[in-house]
């Protein structure tokens, strides 16, 4: 397993909506969308023609101090904000970010976002400029814990290459 640590700065834009029922229970729904940008320079370092990988993934460590569980979805975008042909996949049931039990101590969740690069070829990965994350919060078993301004969700991202890297030293031109 090889892990690439990225020290670049990224931008974040977001939008959200709230559906508040009369009581805070399992009927509560909060939709939140955030875009993390600035990946193109990082991914361009990997975009070499003739280099293939079996498995590439974005590992995300979330810390959530809100008493809400979040379901996560994601989409890769190019510089114009258009979805790229590179698909994303969450292994079964692994897209849930756990909520804090007390609204103070952050719950930690590790999410694996697999990138489905066509034929494993990294040549097109430099199309990725940003990742749009869609969060859907639902009331959880922590119903008696109040939402507060001080609660939040933070993340740390790592890029992982698994299964080895194949380099074609005689790529067709």
């Amino acid at each position: 397993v090889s892990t690439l640590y990225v020290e670049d700065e990224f931008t974040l834009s977001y939008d959200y909506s709230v559906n508040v029922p009369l009581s805070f229970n399992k009927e509560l729904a909060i939709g939140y969308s955030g875009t993390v940008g600035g990946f193109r320079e990082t991914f361009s370092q990997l975009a070499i023609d003739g280099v293939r990988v079996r498995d590439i993934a974005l590992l995300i460590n979330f810390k959530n101090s809100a008493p809400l569980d979040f379901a996560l979805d994601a989409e890769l975008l190019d510089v114009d904000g258009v979805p790229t042909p590179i698909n994303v996949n969450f292994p079964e049931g692994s897209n849930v970010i756990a909520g804090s039990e007390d609204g103070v101590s952050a719950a930690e969740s590790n999410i694996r976002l697999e990138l489905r690069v066509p034929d494993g070829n990294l040549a097109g990965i430099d199309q990725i400029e940003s990742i749009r994350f869609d969060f859907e919060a639902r009331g959880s078993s922590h119903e008696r814990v109040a939402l507060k301004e001080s609660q939040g969700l933070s993340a740390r991202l790592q890029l992982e290459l698994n299964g080895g890297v194949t380099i074609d030293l005689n790529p067709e031109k």
Side-chain angles (χ1 to χ4, degrees):
V1 174
S2 299
T3 303
L4 176 67
Y5 294 94
V6 180
E7 298 296 328
D8 296 337
E9 290 187 20
F10 300 100
T11 57
L12 174 66
S13 60
Y14 59 90
D15 189 16
Y16 64 91
S17 65
V18 178
N19 175 11
V20 182
L22 293 177
S23 61
F24 292 98
N25 55 29
K26 293 188 185 287
E27 295 176 20
L28 173 69
I30 299 174
Y32 175 88
S33 179
T35 302
V36 180
F39 286 102
R40 189 170 191 164
E41 184 175 327
T42 299
F43 284 132
S44 68
Q45 298 170 29
L46 298 172
I48 303 168
D49 191 28
V51 176
R52 299 186 187 295
V53 295
R54 194 182 93 215
D55 186 19
I56 183 169
L58 191 61
L59 305 177
I60 311 168
N61 174 263
F62 283 101
K63 291 185 180 176
N64 181 10
S65 60
L68 300 169
D69 296 338
F70 289 89
L72 180 65
D73 198 7
E75 188 171 38
L76 304 175
L77 307 173
D78 66 16
V79 292
D80 297 319
V82 176
T84 69
I86 300 170
N87 294 318
V88 297
N89 180 55
F90 294 96
E92 179 115 12
S94 67
N95 68 327
V96 176
I97 302 166
S100 171
E101 291 184 17
D102 60 8
V104 177
S105 303
E108 195 168 333
S109 299
N110 293 307
I111 305 289
R112 180 182 176 84
L113 178 63
E114 297 172 345
L115 309 182
R116 298 293 181 208
V117 181
D119 299 322
N121 189 349
L122 291 181
I125 200 167
D126 60 349
Q127 298 176 43
I128 301 170
E129 166 57 26
S130 59
I131 302 174
R132 179 175 45 233
F133 292 103
D134 293 319
F135 301 89
E136 184 177 309
R138 293 278 180 201
S140 66
S141 59
H142 316 299
E143 294 174 8
R144 300 208 182 269
V145 179
L147 290 173
K148 301 176 194 165
E149 186 176 331
S150 61
Q151 296 165 337
L153 184 65
S154 65
R156 180 177 175 170
L157 289 73
Q158 295 178 349
L159 188 63
E160 178 183 76
L161 304 174
N162 277 333
V165 176
T166 303
I167 301 174
D168 183 355
L169 298 176
N170 300 303
E172 294 180 28
K173 294 189 179 203

